[in-house]
């Protein structure tokens, strides 16, 4: 499905759900609050990410809250902090509330969510997976993970070829490979670099945060001080790697350095928009598109309007100095 077609479908779902919707009450409640109590006119919708420390997820939640509350629903979120049992307990609490109409989430560990997903289904609550499905999900949002990584790798390869020609170049590749979200994107980055024919040596760095990105890049630079290219699946982790390179002596605008990611963050947009930073471009899963898709799927699920398809595909948007300002918050 093209982005244009996807956005049109989401817009129709949201428009339909907004007809007759009243104003929702405040829903800044945690997952473990007691069942019942005040809610939106139509009940509650819940969204669960593994942590509140990832920019692109927080950005989505902010946009989703407006869309979902405008549609007459209470919006519930949690913060498992990467602890699977906390996430399971949060979902059990949502099922027990009695007014939750649909749940969407990205599990810390998908296999561990099967039982609570079955509990939700037994209670008539459809569960939608984020970035993939598992046993019992009614639908899932599918991210073009391989394609995203390939685009990052190909663009980096093109820059390497133009800047260094056939000279060998060392690349730091940052990813959280504990789940397919990271493994597949990292694979795509490697494939993209290979497709570009770049003469590179790749150093794999495990990271899921800015701090881990900084520490991993710092350690890598001790062993391999000539790393000039930093690529990653997350904005936070590559921003950490960028800072490590700067602290090691590189100038932010050094023309011999290149940083890119398949993820978004306000700071990333600002640096790209400057047109002079080593963070030159990115291929991002845009928070606005993701949030609109998530909200549309949750509302459709709550109202029995999910289509027969198993998944909804979302791809990446190329961010450059020419369009980065368009993504900045107004």
């Amino acid at each position: 499905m093209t982005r244009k077609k996807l956005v049109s479908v989401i817009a129709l779902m949201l428009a339909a759900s907004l007809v007759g919707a009243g104003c929702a009450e405040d829903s800044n409640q945690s997952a473990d609050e007691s069942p019942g109590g005040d809610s939106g006119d139509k009940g509650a919708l819940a969204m669960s990410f593994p942590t509140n420390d990832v920019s692109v997820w927080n950005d989505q939640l902010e946009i989703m809250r407006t869309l979902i509350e405008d549609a007459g629903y209470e919006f519930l979120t949690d913060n498992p902090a990467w602890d699977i049992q906390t996430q399971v307990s949060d979902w059990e609490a949502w099922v027990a509330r009695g007014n939750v109409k649909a749940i969407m989430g990205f599990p810390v560990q998908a296999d561990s969510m099967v039982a609570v997903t079955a509990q939700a289904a037994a209670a008539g609550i459809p569960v939608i997976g984020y970035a993939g499905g598992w046993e019992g999900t009614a639908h899932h949002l599918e991210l073009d993970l391989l394609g995203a990584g390939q685009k990052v790798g190909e663009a980096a390869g093109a820059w390497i070829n133009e800047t260094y020609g056939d000279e060998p170049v060392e690349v730091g590749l940052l990813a959280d490979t504990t789940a397919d979200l990271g493994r597949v994107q990292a694979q795509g980055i490697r494939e993209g670099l290979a497709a570009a024919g770049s003469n590179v040596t790749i150093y794999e760095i495990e990271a899921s945060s800015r701090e881990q990105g900084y520490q991993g890049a710092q350690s890598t630079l001790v062993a391999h001080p000539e790393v000039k290219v930093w690529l990653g699946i997350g904005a936070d982790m590559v921003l950490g790697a960028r800072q490590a390179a700067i602290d090691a002596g590189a100038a932010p605008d050094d023309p011999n350095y290149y940083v890119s990611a398949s993820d978004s963050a306000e700071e990333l947009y600002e640096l790209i928009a400057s047109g002079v930073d080593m963070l030159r471009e990115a291929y991002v899963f845009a928070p606005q598109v993701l949030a609109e898709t998530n909200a549309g799927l949750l509302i459709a699920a709550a109202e029995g309007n999910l289509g027969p398809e198993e998944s909804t595909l979302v791809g990446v948007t190329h961010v450059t100095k020419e369009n980065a300002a368009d993504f900045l918050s107004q």
Side-chain angles (χ1 to χ4, degrees), residues 28 47 49 54-70 75 77 266 287-288 291-292 294-295 329-330:
N28 293 318
M47 184 75 188
F49 285 116
V54 175
S55 298
V56 68
W57 292 341
N58 287 335
D59 292 344
Q60 289 178 65
L61 293 175
E62 183 178 349
I63 298 167
M64 288 177 67
R65 182 173 300 280
T66 298
L67 295 172
I68 286 172
E69 291 182 349
D70 284 351
F75 187 45
T77 63
E266 193 82 357
Q288 184 72 36
E292 290 174 355
N294 298 341
S329 299
Q330 301 300 316

Side-chain angles (χ1 to χ4, degrees), residues 257-302:
Y257 281 77
Y258 180 99
V259 179
S260 183
S262 57
D263 190 18
S264 65
E266 193 82 357
E267 184 178 352
L268 177 142
Y269 296 144
E270 291 173 352
L271 293 171
I272 294 175
S274 73
V276 296
D277 195 83
M278 65 173 71
L279 212 167
R280 303 174 184 281
E281 61 185 329
Y283 286 84
V284 307
F285 290 102
Q288 184 72 36
V289 174
L290 291 169
E292 290 174 355
T293 305
N294 298 341
L297 290 174
L298 276 168
I299 293 167

Side-chain angles (χ1 to χ4, degrees), residues 3 29 41 62 142 165 192-193 199 246 291 293 299 310 313 316:
R3 177 179 174 183
Q29 298 169 309
D41 295 341
E62 183 178 349
E142 181 180 352
L193 287 167
N199 183 7
I246 292 171
T293 305
I299 293 167
E310 293 183 359
L313 180 66
V316 289

